[in-house]
Amino acid sequence: MRILIAVVAVMLAGCASTAISVRDAKPVSADEIYAFQSKPSGESGKITVVRDSGAVGSGCDIVVYVDGRKAAKIGTGQRVTFYLPPGSPNIGAGLAGSGLCAGAAIRTIAATAHSGKESLYRISGDMAGFYIGPYVDYN
């Protein structure tokens, strides 16, 4: 019995999403992007969100929110870019759909949009859930 528990624990420990580079992530299709696609008048910056690839959570799409507004639906291994005025918008991520893909709270972070620059954020996941945070290039 102890061997079975150890095997299950090792298998679960390896169940995490896999970081993907921004250039390797596929763009979200235009019909799954709902807002923030036009550059605002005056100064603006870009915020790009990349979702990890891998099996964890692959059956559920995630909705990205910008300042509480539904902005895009993102699948595993995808990226989406939003155009925003300079500032500190809240970026959120929540599960889309129903059934197994419902019920989790929307997780948010304070992001930063810099004039003329791109800020990168990453959605990752493991057996405990999904997370949104700053993007780190592991490659």
Side-chain angles (χ1 to χ4, degrees):
M1 183 65 156
R2 287 185 187 174
I3 293 174
L4 178 60
I5 292 172
V7 168
V8 170
V10 168
M11 289 172 56
L12 290 178
C15 290
S17 57
T18 304
I20 186 170
S21 70
V22 176
R23 72 179 181 289
D24 290 337
K26 294 182 177 17
V28 169
S29 65
D31 63 326
E32 299 291 357
I33 303 173
Y34 315 121
F36 306 104
Q37 292 304 289
S38 299
K39 289 184 180 179
S41 60
E43 295 184 22
S44 67
K46 295 192 300 186
I47 289 184
T48 297
V49 178
V50 178
R51 183 171 172 196
D52 286 358
S53 64
V56 173
S58 62
C60 299
D61 287 326
I62 289 181
V63 174
V64 178
Y65 297 86
V66 176
D67 282 337
R69 184 173 168 194
K70 187 176 180 179
K73 185 166 73 170
I74 188 170
T76 57
Q78 292 186 320
R79 71 175 187 274
V80 62
T81 298
F82 306 111
Y83 298 93
L84 301 165
S88 298
N90 287 315
I91 304 295
L95 293 174
S98 59
L100 294 175
C101 297
I106 297 170
R107 298 176 189 254
T108 61
I109 61 167
T112 305
H114 296 285
S115 182
K117 296 185 178 179
E118 181 178 33
S119 299
L120 302 172
Y121 296 90
R122 173 182 173 218
I123 298 173
S124 59
D126 60 22
M127 293 306 287
F130 66 92
Y131 310 92
I132 185 166
Y135 174 86
V136 175
D137 190 356
Y138 293 99
N139 301 318

